[in-house]
């Protein structure tokens, strides 16, 4: 009898020790354990402005953020990437295609992609990697209480317009006329243009809208900027400008137009200067939203966040090619100088 009791006690102790080991293992890697959920494979849809090749830095940042949270492609994650190739009219079709694939979350960049996703579904969560003015365009009710199935990050593109104008005037002191390349069929871009126009007026600078709706109009549009004797150019970011960024950079150089962009994606390939949010940083932060949603949090309970990282990038080689002299003080405030 005592032997039997001893054996039972030893067995109970071994079982308790085993449970402690298992509990300790789960505690040591809670993120991976929760993410995998017994073999569950999550599917993320990405209707994007450009190809994955052109968007590589942002896709890499999203993947890195997801991996830190325990999501790995080929194991418990599938990313369905679809490109609109610079055409906003393709987003509704891409949204429907992704919903047919039963994606768990849709990640968007830009107002047209987000609007298309919102119009296509009221149940599948949508996370904005970047949106110019999500409240003004009606994507969310408010930043603190987005409501519905959409949340994510704002890129505050328009709010930075006055600073971009000031930066251009530092480089082009005699700035009298600024051209603005923008696709005003985009709801957010219309708001950006209004902000730029007001900011230019306050600085005593005349602004000229170059309304770009089609890629094949880029050449004539730059000819128009020269004909209007623009001293410099602002390029407003959206699908059409992103998809054609190399051509835009080349045309700016051909017409010898000092140009400022909203994203370093243009400066990395030869553009003069950019001031704006770090898009890879936003995409990395999107991973946190995706993780919380996949674990059961409602999008309406996740406030829309603002950017925390802004960057000023200058391409000194391009400045020299344009015959511009960039002061030492100006270079010192830059986050990065490309030589």
């Amino acid at each position: 009898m005592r032997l039997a009791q001893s054996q039972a006690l030893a067995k109970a102790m071994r079982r308790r020790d085993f449970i402690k080991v298992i509990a300790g293992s789960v505690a040591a890697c809670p993120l991976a354990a929760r993410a995998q959920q017994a073999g569950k494979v999550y599917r993320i849809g990405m209707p994007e402005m450009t190809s994955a090749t052109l968007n590589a830095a942002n896709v890499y940042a999203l993947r890195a953020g997801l991996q830190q949270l325990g999501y790995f492609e080929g194991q418990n994650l599938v990313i369905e990437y679809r490109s609109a190739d610079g055409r906003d009219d393709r987003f509704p079709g891409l949204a429907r295609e992704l919903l047919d694939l039963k994606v768990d979350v849709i990640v968007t960049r830009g107002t047209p992609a987000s609007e298309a996703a919102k119009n296509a579904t009221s149940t599948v969560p949508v996370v904005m990697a970047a949106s110019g003015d999500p409240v003004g365009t009606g994507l969310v009710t408010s930043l603190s209480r987005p409501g519905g199935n959409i949340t994510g990050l704002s890129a505050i593109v328009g709010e930075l317009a006055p600073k971009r104008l000031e930066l251009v005037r530092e480089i082009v002191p005699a700035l009298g006329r600024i051209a603005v390349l923008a696709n005003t069929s985009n709801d957010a871009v219309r708001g950006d243009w209004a902000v730029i126009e007001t900011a230019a007026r306050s600085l005593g600078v005349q602004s000229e809208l170059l309304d770009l709706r089609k890629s094949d109009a880029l050449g004539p549009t730059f000819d128009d900027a020269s004909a209007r004797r623009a001293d410099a150019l602002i390029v407003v970011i959206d699908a059409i400008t992103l998809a054609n960024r190399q051509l835009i950079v080349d045309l700016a150089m051909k017409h010898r137009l000092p140009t400022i962009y909203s994203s370093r994606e243009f400066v990395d390939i030869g553009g003069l200067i950019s001031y704006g949010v770090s898009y890879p940083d936003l995409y990395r932060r999107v991973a946190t939203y995706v993780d919380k949603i996949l674990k059961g949090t409602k999008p309406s309970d996740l406030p829309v966040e603002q950017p925390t990282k802004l960057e000023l990038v200058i391409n000194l080689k391009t400045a020299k090619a344009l015959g511009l002299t960039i002061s030492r003080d100006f270079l010192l405030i830059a986050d990065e100088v490309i030589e």
Side-chain angles (χ1 to χ4, degrees), residues 61-123:
L62 175 61
R63 283 194 176 111
L66 289 169
Q67 287 174 5
Q68 289 180 339
L69 295 168
Y71 302 91
F72 297 89
E73 288 180 275
Q75 296 180 23
N76 60 352
L77 176 68
V78 174
I79 295 179
E80 298 286 359
Y81 190 102
R82 299 292 185 275
S83 173
D85 295 321
R87 288 181 51 183
D88 289 341
D89 60 336
R90 289 181 176 173
F91 281 122
L94 295 181
R96 291 191 296 270
E97 180 181 339
L98 292 171
L99 290 172
D100 288 342
L101 293 173
K102 307 298 182 185
V103 294
D104 297 288
V105 179
I106 296 176
V107 173
T108 62
R109 176 184 181 181
T111 299
S114 300
E115 289 175 333
K118 181 179 181 179
N119 292 336
T121 179
S122 60
T123 56

Side-chain angles (χ1 to χ4, degrees), residues 44 46 48 55-69 71 107-109 127-130 152-153 277-292 305 308-309 311:
I44 296 175
M46 292 184 70
E48 281 284 348
N55 202 27
N58 295 324
V59 177
Y60 176 84
L62 175 61
R63 283 194 176 111
L66 289 169
Q67 287 174 5
Q68 289 180 339
L69 295 168
Y71 302 91
V107 173
T108 62
R109 176 184 181 181
V127 179
M128 300 176 294
L153 297 128
V277 303
S278 167
Y279 284 95
D281 183 63
L282 294 181
Y283 273 81
R284 190 174 292 107
R285 290 169 60 190
V286 160
T288 302
Y289 278 87
V290 171
D291 178 52
K292 289 179 180 178
E305 295 182 3
T308 56
K309 183 178 180 181
E311 54 186 6

Side-chain angles (χ1 to χ4, degrees), residues 231-294:
D231 300 305
L233 175 70
I234 292 177
V235 173
V236 178
I237 196 168
D238 83 319
I240 194 168
T241 54
L242 268 178
N244 294 280
R245 58 182 181 262
Q246 186 64 69
L247 178 57
I248 290 171
V249 166
D250 292 344
L251 286 169
M253 180 63 73
K254 175 185 175 181
H255 289 266
R256 303 191 66 76
L257 262 177
T259 304
I260 188 166
Y261 305 91
S262 306
S263 164
R264 69 169 298 156
E265 291 159 291
F266 294 83
V267 181
D268 286 335
I269 57 172
L272 175 62
I273 181 174
S274 67
Y275 178 68
V277 303
S278 167
Y279 284 95
D281 183 63
L282 294 181
Y283 273 81
R284 190 174 292 107
R285 290 169 60 190
V286 160
T288 302
Y289 278 87
V290 171
D291 178 52
K292 289 179 180 178
I293 288 170
L294 293 180

Side-chain angles (χ1 to χ4, degrees), residues 14-332:
R14 288 195 299 271
R15 182 174 181 272
R16 187 166 59 249
D17 291 341
F18 175 75
I19 292 173
K20 286 181 179 179
V21 170
I22 294 299
S25 298
V26 172
C29 54
L31 293 174
R34 288 199 298 268
Q36 292 180 10
Q37 286 190 6
K40 167 70 176 177
V41 177
Y42 297 98
R43 197 174 294 271
I44 296 175
M46 292 184 70
E48 281 284 348
M49 298 179 181
T50 64
S51 68
T53 300
L54 288 176
N55 202 27
N58 295 324
V59 177
Y60 176 84
L62 175 61
R63 283 194 176 111
L66 289 169
Q67 287 174 5
Q68 289 180 339
L69 295 168
Y71 302 91
F72 297 89
E73 288 180 275
Q75 296 180 23
N76 60 352
L77 176 68
V78 174
I79 295 179
E80 298 286 359
Y81 190 102
R82 299 292 185 275
S83 173
D85 295 321
R87 288 181 51 183
D88 289 341
D89 60 336
R90 289 181 176 173
F91 281 122
L94 295 181
R96 291 191 296 270
E97 180 181 339
L98 292 171
L99 290 172
D100 288 342
L101 293 173
K102 307 298 182 185
V103 294
D104 297 288
V105 179
I106 296 176
V107 173
T108 62
R109 176 184 181 181
T111 299
S114 300
E115 289 175 333
K118 181 179 181 179
N119 292 336
T121 179
S122 60
T123 56
V124 176
V126 178
V127 179
M128 300 176 294
S131 178
D133 182 7
V135 177
T137 55
L139 288 169
V140 299
T141 303
S142 71
L143 297 183
S144 59
R145 296 181 179 276
N149 62 321
I150 299 182
T151 186
L153 297 128
S154 169
I156 60 169
V157 177
E159 295 174 40
L160 300 177
K163 180 64 176 179
R164 291 194 188 98
L165 275 168
E166 292 174 10
L167 292 170
V168 170
R169 198 160 65 168
E170 286 288 327
I171 296 175
V172 186
L175 182 67
R177 189 187 303 268
I178 185 101
V180 181
L181 186 67
N183 173 15
T184 60
S185 66
N186 182 323
D187 290 339
V189 170
R190 280 199 298 274
D192 296 343
W193 159 241
V195 172
I196 294 170
E197 193 176 25
T198 300
R201 192 180 304 117
S202 69
L203 293 174
V205 175
Q206 185 173 341
S207 55
E208 300 276 356
L209 175 64
L210 305 174
D211 199 358
L212 179 69
R213 303 292 181 95
K214 296 181 178 179
S215 299
D216 57 11
L218 270 168
T221 298
F222 269 85
D223 291 338
D224 188 24
S226 294
R228 297 190 197 190
R229 300 185 180 279
D231 300 305
L233 175 70
I234 292 177
V235 173
V236 178
I237 196 168
D238 83 319
I240 194 168
T241 54
L242 268 178
N244 294 280
R245 58 182 181 262
Q246 186 64 69
L247 178 57
I248 290 171
V249 166
D250 292 344
L251 286 169
M253 180 63 73
K254 175 185 175 181
H255 289 266
R256 303 191 66 76
L257 262 177
T259 304
I260 188 166
Y261 305 91
S262 306
S263 164
R264 69 169 298 156
E265 291 159 291
F266 294 83
V267 181
D268 286 335
I269 57 172
L272 175 62
I273 181 174
S274 67
Y275 178 68
V277 303
S278 167
Y279 284 95
D281 183 63
L282 294 181
Y283 273 81
R284 190 174 292 107
R285 290 169 60 190
V286 160
T288 302
Y289 278 87
V290 171
D291 178 52
K292 289 179 180 178
I293 288 170
L294 293 180
K295 290 172 180 163
T297 304
K298 296 179 180 179
S300 57
D301 293 333
L302 295 172
V304 176
E305 295 182 3
Q306 302 279 45
T308 56
K309 183 178 180 181
L310 299 176
E311 54 186 6
L312 170 63
V313 183
I314 302 169
N315 192 316
L316 200 56
K317 182 179 179 181
T318 300
K320 291 176 180 177
L322 289 170
L324 298 172
T325 300
I326 310 294
S327 71
R328 181 174 181 275
D329 289 342
F330 192 91
L331 293 175
L332 286 175

